[in-house]
Amino acid sequence: MSNTQENTTHFGFKTVEEDRKADLVAEVFHSVATKYDVMNDVLSMGIHRVWKRFTIDCSGIRKGQKALDLAGGTGDLTAKFSRIVGKTGHVVLADINDSMLKVGRSKLRDMGIVDNVDYIQANAEELPFPDNHFDLVTIAFGLRNVTDKDKALASIYRVLKPGGRLLVLEFSKPLYRPLSKFYDFYSFNILPKLGKLIANDSESYRYLAESIRMHPNQDTLKEMMNNVGFEDSEYFNLTAGIVALHRGYKY
Amino acid sequence: MPLDNLLCGLLETGVNKLHQLDSSAQQRRKMLDGVIIAVTLKELNKPLYFVISKQQIDILAKYEGQADCFIRLNLSALKELQNNHQLTRLIKSEQLEVEGDIQLVQQFAQLLTEMDIDWEEFLSSKVGDVLAHKFCYHAKQCQQGLSQQLKKIEKHSAQFITEELKLAPGPLQVAYFCEQVSELEKQCLQLEARIAQRLQKI
Ligand SMILES: C[S@@+](CC[C@H](N)C(=O)[O-])C[C@H]1O[C@@H](n2cnc3c(N)ncnc32)[C@H](O)[C@@H]1O
């Protein structure tokens, strides 16, 4: 195998050099940041809100705890966590992309959330937090974009307290063939067009569709979590496997 | 599971939309800032968790921590929560069970039921004064009509239960039964008196 091949990774269906993927992903999210929330609602027909609610129910988060909303983007989960953990708790919204962070911060400020949230620009692969620090880490629709997923999972494991949980909410493999067919059609034909129409950016949404296809399926991701030390890992298929929520514990 | 989430989501959106229209709601939420209240409807036997903050009310289907207050109640008692003076009566009649601070329950009930929304005002900002007034007028009439209909239905179903299904006795039947009972009572008393007389003679 030649050297060039060893240092490449996926950017959607394209193969790119590893150190370029982060930049390319950054470009995608810089360009969609301001339209991100609207697009989420339109493209998922609002269903992403139900997926996120399910995530919160599985999180075990409670008053006084510390949570990290990794790749938190515009902060949907952070907002909920902030209200649940209350004054005695703390939430960190971390994202690699400062455009997304800015949109997130001003959205949460407008909602009146100020006291217990910090905004930190960070790469999931190298989290700038001490060991055993958080009761909960969530990464919603973010892991797909990370270049070295194993490294990110290991880094999350490190910052979790013993007894803490990781929740990964991510697109996954649909359970039924006909659904897959429809879903493919939607993702490759309709989604980029909607992206063009609303955010004037079809490329980013083509990347979205492609990156979903390249993401590890349910069992592979569970295996990856176990490999870095998570225990009792399990997953829940949502909307027939279009999305899966993985949960693992650090003991 | 996600069905629960969907329902919670709809309920939460509804409650908060109403709160946004009520200018005093924020003040009332402030008093309960940081409080988590578990509410179980006896009919469903499943708790919902109300997380109250200055910003809004979040409704969760699951919470693994300890709520500040647990409430169990019948669906029918829900309506009566509106009336603060009813709380003790509801508790006594076991339609409402509270574990925790009763004052929290009162404030919580107020938070949900005492909404002070001027619908006409709200509508007029959307569709203009005239339409808003007309709409509210008709709505009020509909409401009156509806409550009359409801009363009728109540009466008819009562008749249906007593006369058609014979599940419950009608008023005449009850009166007749009561009469028979008092007759029996009288006869018993007479009998008692006679026995006493006989006993004395012996
Ligand atoms: C699709 S958004 C998800 C936002 C939010 N969690 C939600 O569910 O709405 C994905 C986010 O992942 C961030 N991201 C991508 N690669 C990352 C990395 N290596 N580390 C941290 N965040 C990353 C992007 O900047 C983007 O904001």
Side-chain angles (χ1 to χ4, degrees):
Chain A
M1 240 189 232
S2 77
N3 247 343
T4 45
Q5 257 173 332
E6 268 172 33
N7 294 327
T8 57
T9 183
H10 299 292
F11 177 74
F13 289 166
K14 289 181 216 146
T15 308
V16 299
E17 281 158 44
E18 266 185 8
D19 42 357
R20 279 203 59 217
K21 169 156 173 164
D23 293 338
L24 290 169
V25 170
E27 240 167 70
V28 168
F29 286 103
H30 278 304
S31 83
V32 300
T34 49
K35 291 274 168 59
Y36 180 80
D37 282 340
V38 191
M39 288 304 283
N40 257 1
D41 275 338
V42 173
L43 299 180
S44 75
M45 295 171 270
I47 302 176
H48 75 104
R49 293 163 185 267
V50 181
W51 296 331
K52 284 175 183 162
R53 276 182 175 275
F54 182 73
T55 306
I56 288 162
D57 278 356
C58 290
S59 70
I61 190 79
R62 45 179 196 262
K63 250 188 230 178
Q65 286 192 324
K66 281 203 191 85
L68 169 63
D69 182 11
L70 186 53
T74 56
D76 284 350
L77 289 175
T78 300
K80 281 251 181 261
F81 289 149
S82 152
R83 294 189 293 257
I84 297 171
V85 300
K87 283 192 208 82
T88 50
H90 191 73
V91 186
V92 175
L93 173 63
D95 201 293
I96 201 169
N97 188 303
D98 66 328
S99 300
M100 290 294 276
L101 270 181
K102 263 186 211 144
V103 174
R105 181 191 311 205
S106 69
K107 181 170 106 183
L108 299 197
R109 290 253 159 100
D110 286 348
M111 292 166 85
I113 292 171
V114 274
D115 297 334
N116 59 1
V117 179
D118 276 327
Y119 303 84
I120 290 175
Q121 190 173 5
N123 186 343
E125 293 169 20
E126 286 158 36
L127 291 172
F129 306 107
D131 296 357
N132 309 324
H133 190 66
F134 293 103
D135 297 287
L136 169 71
V137 176
T138 57
I139 177 164
F141 304 112
L143 193 60
R144 193 180 69 239
N145 304 304
V146 174
T147 314
D148 189 341
K149 298 178 182 53
D150 297 307
K151 200 170 163 199
L153 289 172
S155 154
I156 292 169
Y157 188 81
R158 180 182 66 76
V159 301
L160 270 175
K161 282 182 196 169
R165 296 180 199 188
L166 164 65
L167 294 176
V168 182
L169 184 63
E170 189 53 272
F171 291 103
S172 207
K173 199 169 171 333
L175 298 177
Y176 312 108
R177 295 272 315 268
L179 181 69
S180 285
K181 286 257 159 62
F182 167 76
Y183 182 51
D184 278 344
F185 178 77
Y186 178 76
S187 325
F188 289 106
N189 297 294
I190 300 178
L191 196 95
K193 295 221 170 78
L194 281 173
K196 172 120 187 78
L197 201 72
I198 302 174
N200 196 18
D201 182 354
S202 56
E203 272 314 299
S204 297
Y205 286 91
R206 191 173 316 281
Y207 162 73
L208 169 66
E210 293 178 1
S211 68
I212 290 170
R213 293 309 178 290
M214 302 307 298
H215 190 67
N217 69 12
Q218 285 89 333
D219 286 311
T220 314
L221 179 54
K222 184 174 146 182
E223 204 45 43
M224 288 164 68
M225 286 169 61
N226 288 337
N227 287 342
V228 300
F230 284 101
E231 291 179 62
D232 290 344
S233 299
E234 59 187 330
Y235 61 81
F236 308 91
N237 284 311
L238 300 171
T239 318
I242 288 182
V243 162
L245 178 70
H246 282 70
R247 175 163 70 177
Y249 297 81
K250 170 174 177 178
Y251 291 127
Chain B
M1 245 307 165
L3 188 66
D4 287 353
N5 300 123
L6 182 65
L7 290 179
C8 282
L10 293 175
L11 193 62
E12 184 183 302
T13 313
V15 169
N16 287 301
K17 277 266 143 59
L18 287 175
H19 264 200
Q20 277 165 18
L21 297 177
D22 177 354
S23 49
S24 68
Q26 192 181 9
Q27 195 55 40
R28 281 180 286 135
R29 278 201 308 273
K30 230 182 211 162
M31 294 199 306
L32 289 171
D33 187 23
V35 170
I36 298 178
I37 295 181
V39 180
T40 309
L41 285 181
K42 285 186 184 169
E43 284 83 354
L44 299 178
N45 207 14
K46 223 180 131 2
L48 290 183
Y49 297 89
F50 289 71
V51 180
I52 304 160
S53 60
K54 266 179 265 171
Q55 297 113 33
Q56 66 167 79
I57 298 178
D58 290 278
I59 302 176
L60 311 176
K62 237 164 121 184
Y63 178 69
E64 292 179 27
Q66 174 78 14
D68 297 293
C69 182
F70 289 85
I71 305 177
R72 275 172 63 85
L73 79 174
N74 288 104
L75 201 57
S76 55
L78 201 61
K79 222 175 76 190
E80 297 183 54
L81 273 189
Q82 277 190 343
N83 189 343
N84 250 325
H85 313 296
Q86 294 285 354
L87 282 185
T88 30
R89 191 186 63 73
L90 286 175
I91 291 174
K92 270 195 194 126
S93 65
E94 288 179 359
Q95 291 186 70
L96 171 68
E97 293 163 34
V98 175
E99 215 176 287
D101 188 352
I102 182 86
Q103 216 182 333
L104 280 184
V105 183
Q106 265 169 356
Q107 287 177 345
F108 179 62
Q110 276 171 7
L111 186 66
L112 289 189
T113 54
E114 275 183 16
M115 288 198 218
D116 177 21
I117 302 172
D118 189 345
W119 287 108
E120 203 166 322
E121 175 74 34
F122 166 70
L123 276 177
S124 72
S125 71
K126 302 258 160 192
V127 298
D129 290 343
V130 182
L131 266 181
H133 178 74
K134 265 196 184 154
F135 182 83
C136 284
Y137 175 75
H138 287 300
K140 234 176 241 161
Q141 281 199 323
C142 279
Q143 198 187 15
Q144 276 165 8
L146 207 66
S147 71
Q148 271 171 9
Q149 285 302 323
L150 278 179
K151 268 190 202 130
K152 253 192 213 161
I153 290 175
E154 225 167 74
K155 205 171 107 196
H156 285 167
S157 45
Q159 268 174 3
F160 184 71
I161 287 171
T162 51
E163 281 161 31
E164 302 292 328
L165 295 178
K166 305 229 186 299
L167 287 178
L172 278 179
Q173 281 173 311
V174 174
Y176 180 60
F177 178 73
C178 290
E179 235 166 64
Q180 280 186 316
V181 172
S182 4
E183 183 61 25
L184 203 61
E185 195 185 359
K186 221 159 67 192
Q187 285 177 356
C188 281
L189 283 176
Q190 281 171 357
L191 195 64
E192 204 184 333
R194 267 164 55 192
I195 291 175
Q197 260 178 7
R198 287 280 159 90
L199 282 177
Q200 267 181 358
K201 276 189 189 160
I202 292 172

